[in-house]
């Protein structure tokens, strides 16, 4: 569920990138982070615990447009893909306004994709949320490789409802912003109804979604190639790492970071 600050008239829309381990979820967020104008995004944050050193997800707030006279912020998060981080994924998925399912297109990983998607469905049900009611976009990643799962197979097994999907190569930036714009288009009208209490017609929904897409387009400033680095070499990427002891602390820190961004005064340029 989105965070709403009625005093400052700001709303934060929570978008979660879900999928099997190493499918490209964090790669998506890193590309978005580097390509956005710094004034349009917050810090990239990594949270980890002592017992789960490879467990982390990212929080990437992005300013994007208006809903009525409320300023909209997208907060992008990834879940740990490894199957044994069940509790961690449930903490992140709770209250999601929209979901991007990042599937790995390599043939040997078909079962991992299906297992991860079923895990998503079950985790949503644990919060009494039907996956059919959540804005959902599929990203079929790693299409630059060979021996790929056909898109038709993905749509048959994962996406029989013909929801939006994007073929991507996130490591090269292909399809990354197209995916983000699609989930924004689906999510903003639903949050607008929640904030303003008024359901839009189809034309108004399309206009609200297109407004969010345009705001994201304007926030993108860099056209040069993005160079990716390993976690050990990310000292210059402005990623903030936070060491926490328990999953409860992780959940509290997520909420705090989400609210903190909404309460920050917007920086003004010196005259």
């Amino acid at each position: 569920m989105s965070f709403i600050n009625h005093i400052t008239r700001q709303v934060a829309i929570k978008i979660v990138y879900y999928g099997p381990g190493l499918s490209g979820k964090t790669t998506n967020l890193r590309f978005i982070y580097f390509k956005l104008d710094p004034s349009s995004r917050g810090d990239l944050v990594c949270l980890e615990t002592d017992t789960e050193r490879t467990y982390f997800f990212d929080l990437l707030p992005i300013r994007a447009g208006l809903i009525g006279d409320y300023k909209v912020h997208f907060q992008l998060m990834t879940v740990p893909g490894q199957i044994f981080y069940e509790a961690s994924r449930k903490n992140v998925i709770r209250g999601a306004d929209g979901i991007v399912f990042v599937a790995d297109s390599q043939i040997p990983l078909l079962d991992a994709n299906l297992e991860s998607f079923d895990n998503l469905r079950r985790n949503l049900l644990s919060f009494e949320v039907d996956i059919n009611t959540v804005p959902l976009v599929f990203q079929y990643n790693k299409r630059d490789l060979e021996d790929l799962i056909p898109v038709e197979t993905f749509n048959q097994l994962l996406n029989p409802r013909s929801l939006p999907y994007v073929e991507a190569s996130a490591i090269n930036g292909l399809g990354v912003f197209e995916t983000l714009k699609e989930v924004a288009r689906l999510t903003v009208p639903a949050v607008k109804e929640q904030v303003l209490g008024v359901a839009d017609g189809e034309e108004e929904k399309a206009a609200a979604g297109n407004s969010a897409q345009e705001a994201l387009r304007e926030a993108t400033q860099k056209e040069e190639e993005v160079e990716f680095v390993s976690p050990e070499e990310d000292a210059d990427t402005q990623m903030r790492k936070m060491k926490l002891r328990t999953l409860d602390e992780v959940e509290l820190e997520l909420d705090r970071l989400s609210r903190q961004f909404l309460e920050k005064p917007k920086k003004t340029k010196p005259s």
Side-chain angles (χ1 to χ4, degrees):
M1 184 175 182
S2 54
F3 284 100
I4 302 171
N5 188 326
H6 292 289
I7 296 176
T8 61
R9 306 191 80 76
Q10 298 186 82
V11 54
I13 298 176
K14 179 178 178 179
I15 305 295
V16 175
Y17 283 66
Y18 209 99
L22 304 179
S23 62
K25 301 178 295 297
T26 301
T27 303
N28 271 269
L29 264 65
R30 282 175 175 267
F31 187 86
I32 293 167
Y33 177 83
F34 280 109
K35 291 285 284 185
L36 285 177
D37 186 317
S39 65
S40 298
R41 53 132 170 95
D43 294 333
L44 192 61
V45 179
C46 169
L47 308 180
E48 58 187 5
T49 67
D50 287 329
T51 57
E52 299 182 351
R53 287 177 295 176
T54 60
Y55 152 71
F56 69 96
F57 48 83
D58 307 294
L59 175 69
L60 178 58
I62 299 172
R63 295 181 175 88
L66 297 172
I67 292 180
D69 57 353
Y70 283 74
K71 294 180 180 178
V72 177
H73 306 260
F74 288 107
Q75 294 184 324
L76 311 184
M77 305 180 189
T78 67
V79 299
Q82 292 85 345
I83 198 63
F84 42 85
Y85 293 140
E86 179 69 14
S88 305
R89 284 193 300 277
K90 290 184 70 171
N91 272 342
V92 179
I93 201 69
R94 179 178 62 89
D97 296 297
I99 297 171
V100 173
F101 186 83
V102 182
D104 193 316
S105 293
Q106 299 175 91
I107 288 178
L109 296 174
L110 177 58
D111 287 344
N113 289 312
L114 297 178
E115 184 177 10
S116 180
F117 189 70
D118 186 62
N119 179 263
L120 168 62
R121 180 188 59 79
R122 287 186 282 105
N123 280 339
L124 288 172
L125 279 177
S126 72
F127 296 114
E128 299 184 346
V129 176
D130 185 344
I131 195 171
N132 295 320
T133 67
V134 179
L136 174 63
V137 172
F138 291 91
Q139 182 187 90
Y140 303 148
N141 194 25
K142 304 187 182 180
R143 303 306 292 182
D144 56 310
L145 303 180
E146 298 180 354
D147 298 323
L148 301 180
I149 300 167
V151 170
E152 294 77 13
T153 300
F154 269 142
N155 283 335
Q156 180 181 3
L157 297 177
L158 293 177
N159 188 19
R161 293 190 292 142
S162 299
L163 297 175
Y165 69 88
V166 176
E167 296 183 57
S169 172
I171 192 68
N172 298 309
L174 300 177
V176 172
F177 273 96
E178 290 81 357
T179 301
L180 179 56
K181 290 173 183 177
E182 277 297 315
V183 75
R185 181 180 64 83
L186 296 180
T187 306
V188 167
V191 174
K192 181 179 180 182
E193 181 177 349
Q194 174 193 345
V195 173
L196 302 180
V198 178
D200 284 338
E202 291 304 317
E203 290 186 4
E204 290 82 2
K205 287 182 179 179
N210 290 336
S211 175
Q213 289 182 321
E214 180 65 17
L216 289 172
R217 186 191 65 79
E218 291 178 356
T220 307
Q221 66 161 9
K222 299 182 181 178
E223 297 300 331
E224 66 270 17
E225 183 177 353
V226 175
E227 179 180 358
F228 290 93
V229 297
S230 67
E232 293 78 14
E233 299 171 337
D234 64 10
D236 296 328
T237 66
Q238 299 179 342
M239 175 183 286
R240 286 197 291 133
K241 290 188 176 182
M242 306 182 68
K243 197 79 171 183
L244 302 169
R245 289 177 294 180
T246 67
L247 288 176
D248 287 340
E249 288 185 357
V250 169
E251 185 172 349
L252 290 173
E253 186 61 26
L254 260 183
D255 287 349
R256 187 191 71 79
L257 288 169
S258 297
R259 296 179 187 278
Q260 179 187 62
F261 189 74
L262 290 186
E263 294 166 359
K264 281 184 179 179
K266 188 173 182 179
K267 295 180 181 179
T268 57
K269 297 180 180 179
S271 56

